Amino acid sequence: MNDIIVSMNNISFTYERKKVLDRVNLDIPQGAFIGLVGPNGGGKTTLVKIMLGLLKPDEGEVTLFQQPISQFKDWQKIGFVSQKANSFNRGFPATVYEVVSTGLTAKVGYFRFFNKYHKEKILHAIDQVGMLDYANENIGNLSGGQQQRIFIARALVNDPELLILDEPTVGVDQENVHKFYELLHRLNKEEKITLLLITHDTGTMTEHATDVVCLNKTLHFHGKPEQFEDMKEKDLSMIYGHNVNLVTHHHSPEEQQ
Ligand code: ADP
């Protein structure tokens, strides 16, 4: 059996007086590709913040790589690409190489020079996302989809075992969404990186994920993509609130904001 690398047991969390997570249990086995879905405000980002130690649950326990989160120190094992890692504009004065190198600064320190080993790591991470030809390009000259790859490279530069991505396809056009999933598929299958993907895209995601988790304050579903597909037309409106069309793959204007 695969090792469990993240274990969340009975997690509850309240912002001021609003309970947003109620006794949530989630285990992430090594090698999984988990698609985490649910309505806006369902608590997905909050759950990830608890997993990253940024918020402390009211109740429950988090174990990372078999250690209680309070004792866990190997944070480089976990890469995170935030929803907020959005676009650089045209004038932003940094190359792809420089942006990816900032992923290493936590280890190296701001004022120390990168040695050959670090330089190779940076170039390897850029290569992993298929952007080596653009290493010296100004980041602001790249498309949204290409910039998204660079943010992933920045998270990959420390060789994480688990990569968490929060809504990475919002605002990315359909062709690039497809390429993006190919990249995730390769990272998961060939590079053996465990993935946790928060997404609205319940269409394309189920073609690649090994497990789907649906969260709306409590865990409403945790199973295989095929089971999720079977369930989603029947029961999902109950979870999401009202008539939702989850079959289409395009993004609504609301999501693209
Ligand atoms: P999701 O990622 O599924 O959209 P979130 O975890 O971002 O959900 O939010 C869950 C609920 O918690 C929402 O109702 C949101 O408005 C609320 N919330 C999120 N962050 C804060 C905060 N810092 N203070 C108060 N309420 C918050």
Side-chain angles (χ1 to χ4, degrees):
M1 207 185 84
N2 285 348
D3 286 344
I4 301 295
I5 58 174
V6 175
S7 181
M8 306 194 77
N9 296 312
N10 253 334
I11 301 293
S12 296
F13 186 84
T14 308
Y15 286 110
E16 287 142 27
R17 265 162 293 153
K18 188 178 179 196
K19 194 166 207 173
V20 295
L21 296 173
D22 187 14
R23 285 165 292 159
V24 173
N25 289 293
L26 177 65
D27 281 350
I28 303 182
Q30 193 162 40
F33 178 168
I34 296 188
L36 176 56
V37 297
N40 265 334
K44 302 180 294 297
T45 303
T46 304
L47 189 71
V48 164
K49 284 184 175 168
I50 291 171
M51 200 180 284
L52 294 169
L54 301 172
L55 293 173
K56 204 172 176 314
D58 308 336
E59 282 173 67
E61 277 149 30
V62 182
T63 306
L64 300 174
F65 295 89
Q66 286 87 43
Q67 277 188 318
I69 192 166
S70 57
Q71 287 166 30
F72 184 73
K73 294 201 176 61
D74 283 337
W75 288 103
Q76 78 277 3
K77 283 188 175 175
I78 304 177
F80 178 53
V81 182
S82 147
Q83 190 178 6
K84 303 256 156 47
N86 50 18
S87 58
F88 284 103
N89 57 30
R90 287 212 162 260
F92 196 85
T95 64
V96 163
Y97 180 91
E98 287 164 344
V99 170
V100 174
S101 75
T102 61
L104 273 178
T105 50
K107 259 186 186 167
V108 186
Y110 268 103
F111 301 106
R112 288 173 53 192
F113 291 104
F114 295 123
N115 63 26
K116 188 161 171 277
Y117 168 78
H118 293 124
K119 285 180 184 161
E120 276 169 11
K121 275 206 159 308
I122 294 163
L123 290 174
H124 177 65
I126 299 172
D127 194 25
Q128 277 179 302
V129 300
M131 292 292 289
L132 205 50
D133 289 348
Y134 296 83
N136 297 316
E137 190 73 49
N138 215 299
I139 182 97
N141 294 338
L142 304 184
S143 70
Q146 289 173 323
Q147 289 191 9
Q148 192 56 259
R149 285 174 177 255
I150 303 309
F151 294 123
I152 293 172
R154 184 169 64 178
L156 289 174
V157 78
N158 294 311
D159 293 326
E161 291 183 36
L162 168 66
L163 184 61
I164 302 174
L165 304 114
D166 191 353
E167 299 277 8
T169 55
V170 171
V172 176
D173 64 70
Q174 197 52 49
E175 193 196 328
N176 279 308
V177 167
H178 184 70
K179 286 189 187 156
F180 172 78
Y181 275 103
E182 280 175 4
L183 168 63
L184 292 190
H185 190 87
R186 189 165 51 72
L187 292 176
N188 181 240
K189 292 283 174 267
E190 289 170 25
E191 317 245 350
K192 312 283 180 218
I193 298 172
T194 306
L195 299 177
L196 175 62
L197 172 69
I198 299 184
T199 183
H200 272 93
D201 184 6
T202 57
T204 319
M205 178 273 288
T206 55
E207 293 167 27
H208 300 281
T210 56
D211 301 84
V212 178
V213 172
C214 183
L215 179 69
N216 188 9
K217 191 165 157 187
T218 60
L219 219 61
H220 284 253
F221 175 85
H222 185 175
K224 295 289 153 204
E226 310 81 74
Q227 296 168 310
F228 182 73
E229 288 287 332
D230 285 347
M231 190 199 73
K232 81 182 179 187
E233 269 123 86
K234 285 184 238 138
D235 300 344
L236 224 60
S237 58
M238 212 173 72
I239 299 165
Y240 279 76
H242 51 88
N243 290 331
V244 273
N245 182 358
L246 291 161
V247 185
T248 52
H249 290 192
H250 67 266
H251 290 282
S252 68
E254 189 195 352
E255 283 176 62
Q256 286 173 348
Q257 278 170 10

